[in-house]
């Protein structure tokens, strides 16, 4: 089993279960659970393939990953509710596993195709966060990766160091996998956020406008 297969399996399980849990939180039926889980697990890879020139139809050659995803989602669907609640307390950790695995996988695909640095960064980011964005949109949620958390940054940093050739061997990539997970969890624990600017009026301004009316 090569490093591509390892990261594909890890990311597929983590994101398929993540999508299934979100679907159950939104009270979708079993079909919705499987659809949302599959979209979460494979959506980022489809978008990546479109952008870096890989055939989208290569998705259908990943039958073993579909089976793995279906098994993972089925287990998640039949688990007792209290077990799922325990999983949700560790949701950020499993999400970090999927992010790290897929970001590295996307960067490896792009470098293997001799794409420039910018394409490697995009491939890493979209493979890592694309499925989660599609999942949140289909579930009627605002994508948290674009609003509340430092998330895509870690995927892009993984792509950067791979594109620069700093991590090549299997052991080095596994080390990078752990590093990305660690920084992702640190950002959750310490509530790190990127700078942002809101155009909504401040409460004092709203009060002033109300008095003027």
């Amino acid at each position: 089993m090569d490093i591509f297969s390892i990261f594909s399996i890890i990311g597929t399980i983590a994101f398929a279960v993540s999508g299934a849990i979100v679907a159950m939180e939104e009270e979708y039926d079993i079909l919705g659970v499987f659809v949302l889980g599959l979209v979460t697990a494979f959506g980022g890879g489809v978008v990546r393939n479109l952008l870096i020139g890989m055939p989208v139809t290569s998705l259908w050659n990943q039958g073993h990953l579909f089976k793995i995803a279906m098994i993972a989602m089925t287990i998640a669907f039949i688990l007792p509710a209290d077990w799922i609640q325990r999983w949700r307390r560790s949701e950020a950790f499993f999400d970090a596993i999927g992010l790290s695995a897929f970001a590295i996988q996307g960067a490896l695909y792009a470098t293997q195709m001799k794409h420039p640095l910018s394409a490697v960064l995009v491939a890493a980011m979209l493979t890592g966060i694309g499925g989660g964005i599609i999942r949140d949109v289909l579930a009627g949620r605002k994508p948290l990766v674009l609003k509340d958390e430092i998330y895509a940054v870690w995927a892009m940093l993984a792509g950067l160091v791979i594109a620069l050739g700093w991590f090549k061997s299997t052991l080095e990539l596994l080390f990078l996998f752990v590093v990305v997970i660690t920084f992702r969890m640190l950002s959750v624990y310490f509530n790190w956020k990127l700078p942002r600017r809101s155009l909504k009026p401040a409460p004092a301004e709203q009060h002033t406008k109300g008095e003027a009316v």
Side-chain angles (χ1 to χ4, degrees), residues 126-162:
L126 289 179
T127 311
I129 74 171
I133 292 177
I134 298 171
R135 174 200 66 203
D136 289 344
V137 170
L138 291 179
R141 302 178 174 186
K142 291 183 179 180
L144 293 179
V145 301
L146 301 178
K147 184 175 183 290
D148 287 337
E149 303 174 359
I150 295 182
Y151 193 85
V153 171
W154 306 127
M156 294 177 69
L157 288 177
L160 176 64
V161 296
I162 290 175

Side-chain angles (χ1 to χ4, degrees), residues 57-206:
T57 53
S58 64
L59 177 68
W60 307 119
N61 298 326
Q62 300 177 332
H64 65 292
L65 292 180
F66 275 99
K67 293 176 183 176
I68 290 171
M70 295 296 290
I71 292 171
M73 290 183 294
T74 301
I75 292 173
F77 187 79
I78 64 177
L79 282 176
D82 58 336
W83 286 29
I84 295 177
Q85 294 300 332
R86 292 176 191 170
W87 185 92
R88 287 180 63 193
R89 288 194 286 270
S90 305
E91 184 174 1
F93 176 66
F94 287 99
D95 207 40
I97 292 174
L99 169 74
S100 181
F102 274 172
I104 293 172
Q105 181 217 57
L108 290 173
Y109 275 125
T111 53
Q112 191 178 59
M113 296 178 68
K114 309 299 183 184
H115 282 305
L117 173 62
S118 57
V120 177
L121 294 179
V122 171
M125 179 183 68
L126 289 179
T127 311
I129 74 171
I133 292 177
I134 298 171
R135 174 200 66 203
D136 289 344
V137 170
L138 291 179
R141 302 178 174 186
K142 291 183 179 180
L144 293 179
V145 301
L146 301 178
K147 184 175 183 290
D148 287 337
E149 303 174 359
I150 295 182
Y151 193 85
V153 171
W154 306 127
M156 294 177 69
L157 288 177
L160 176 64
V161 296
I162 290 175
L164 294 176
W166 293 355
F167 293 83
K168 293 182 179 180
S169 70
T170 300
L171 285 178
E172 289 172 342
L173 291 171
L174 289 174
F175 174 73
L176 177 62
F177 171 66
V178 174
V179 168
V180 173
I181 293 174
T182 301
F183 276 100
R184 164 63 182 149
M185 295 309 298
L186 286 173
S187 66
V188 171
Y189 183 79
F190 292 107
N191 198 27
W192 294 342
K193 295 183 179 180
L194 292 173
R196 65 179 177 178
R197 179 185 177 193
S198 175
L199 296 180
K200 293 181 179 179
E205 294 179 5
Q206 292 179 336

